[in-house]
Amino acid sequence: MNTAPAGWQHGSPLVEPKGRRPDSVMSVAQGEMEPVRNSRQRAILSALQESRQVDVNTLAERFGVSGMTIRRDLAELDQAGLLDRVHGGAVPRRAPAYGARSSTMMSEKSKIARAVADLVKPGASVGIDTGTTCTAVAAELADRDDLTVITNSLHAAFELRDTRSRVLVLGGLMTPELSLVASTAAQERPQIHLDLMILGCGGLSVDRGITYFDPAEVEVRRTLLDLADRVVVAADHTKFDRKKAMALGDLSIVDVLVTDQMPPPELRSALAEVVVAP
């Protein structure tokens, strides 16, 4: 674990209230004049988030540039890990296999999960995201009998199979991640209030916010976020300053980050609160 900065006590959160953040996401963005190429590449990622596939000819016409320029953009985004190039265009980059991810950073994820579980108050209604760290959180909550849990993750639901808490599993199409997703039109808004939404992530960065691999899963997360009073992100330090193709939103939607190491200063300043799991 990294040494905490001055003023931070072991076992206590470093709190930077939202109303007094000197380096918010908005102020950082306003202070920068980015090249046109970067703006175009962000627009390409946004188009990919909406359609799940983009093609070179359509993008070239949209931006008024050559196909060669678009292919160069796609190559750079592929190299950055933000998409996968295919013949004639690009598709979202898929997450590494769940089994491979679940066997990495196991000790860190376990500590993070216990710290997140400590934030769940008695009688709370809790949303649990997909992903290996959130599955670990579900396992920590399995012995509780006072909660209402909503999730679209079959992995998380399986961990809660013996709980005496109420568990609501969202329906939809099953992905290779064993998450359940549906189109915006098909997914009914759950009639439930969430005291706490627990999110995993593919990456956390100041300029892109919270990012993921799969656009369909992002839509489910947006639905659940609208129902939640408080948002906790559970993520180990390998997610810091990483960027995936699909953006959920900027860092202002995060109330608490629970992690295993203190984030870099700029990222920490853009977050409301950071808890480092002991």
Side-chain angles (χ1 to χ4, degrees):
M1 184 183 304
N2 284 355
T3 302
W8 183 82
Q9 298 179 355
H10 183 73
S12 301
L14 175 71
V15 180
E16 299 179 16
K18 285 184 175 179
R20 296 190 289 108
R21 280 183 282 171
D23 296 317
S24 68
V25 175
M26 183 62 71
S27 64
V28 171
Q30 288 175 340
E32 298 176 354
M33 294 296 291
E34 296 183 307
V36 172
R37 182 181 65 188
N38 289 349
S39 298
R40 185 175 61 247
Q41 290 181 359
R42 288 200 308 274
I44 290 172
L45 291 174
S46 296
L48 188 60
Q49 184 166 349
E50 294 172 2
S51 64
R52 296 182 66 89
Q53 184 164 354
V54 292
D55 68 83
V56 170
N57 292 336
T58 300
L59 292 174
E61 183 176 350
R62 172 178 173 178
F63 296 111
V65 297
S66 68
M68 182 64 72
T69 296
I70 295 298
R71 282 188 284 273
R72 187 162 51 245
D73 285 336
L74 296 182
E76 291 178 3
L77 292 170
D78 186 313
Q79 186 174 10
L82 298 176
L83 51 73
D84 281 326
R85 295 178 69 190
V86 296
H87 180 70
V91 297
R93 175 155 293 185
R94 292 183 60 177
Y98 185 95
R101 300 201 317 276
S102 65
S103 61
T104 62
M105 307 290 291
M106 294 177 64
S107 175
E108 291 83 355
K109 290 175 183 177
S110 179
K111 292 176 181 178
I112 290 168
R114 288 195 294 271
V116 172
D118 288 342
L119 298 177
V120 180
K121 297 179 179 179
S125 54
V126 185
I128 299 181
D129 192 11
T130 62
T132 57
T133 306
C134 287
T135 298
V137 174
E140 289 292 328
L141 296 175
D143 61 353
R144 299 276 293 267
D145 61 5
D146 59 320
L147 305 176
T148 298
V149 179
I150 182 170
T151 185
N152 68 316
S153 167
L154 294 180
H155 287 293
F158 184 77
E159 293 293 342
L160 294 162
R161 63 194 181 281
D162 294 326
T163 185
R164 289 190 290 171
S165 294
R166 293 189 298 168
V167 180
L168 173 61
V169 180
L170 298 179
L173 300 173
M174 187 175 70
T175 74
E177 291 280 297
L178 295 187
S179 62
L180 300 172
V181 301
S183 67
T184 304
Q187 181 72 63
E188 292 185 7
R189 180 185 175 93
Q191 298 302 306
I192 192 171
H193 161 262
L194 295 177
D195 297 301
L196 192 67
M197 180 64 204
I198 300 167
L199 289 173
C201 69
L204 283 173
S205 62
V206 172
D207 57 337
R208 288 278 291 161
I210 313 173
T211 55
Y212 301 89
F213 290 92
D214 190 287
E217 288 183 353
V218 169
E219 289 306 313
V220 177
R221 293 181 180 103
R222 287 201 179 103
T223 297
L224 294 177
L225 283 177
D226 288 342
L227 306 173
D229 288 341
R230 197 173 187 217
V231 176
V232 172
V233 171
D236 65 70
H237 70 277
T238 64
K239 307 299 175 62
F240 299 162
D241 294 328
R242 294 182 67 180
K243 306 170 190 179
K244 304 306 174 186
M246 306 302 154
L248 176 65
D250 65 35
L251 295 177
S252 66
I253 68 176
V254 181
D255 294 298
V256 182
L257 168 67
V258 180
T259 187
D260 61 314
Q261 294 184 14
M262 194 61 71
E266 186 180 18
L267 181 58
R268 187 169 69 244
S269 294
L271 294 160
E273 183 178 337
V274 177
V275 175
V276 177

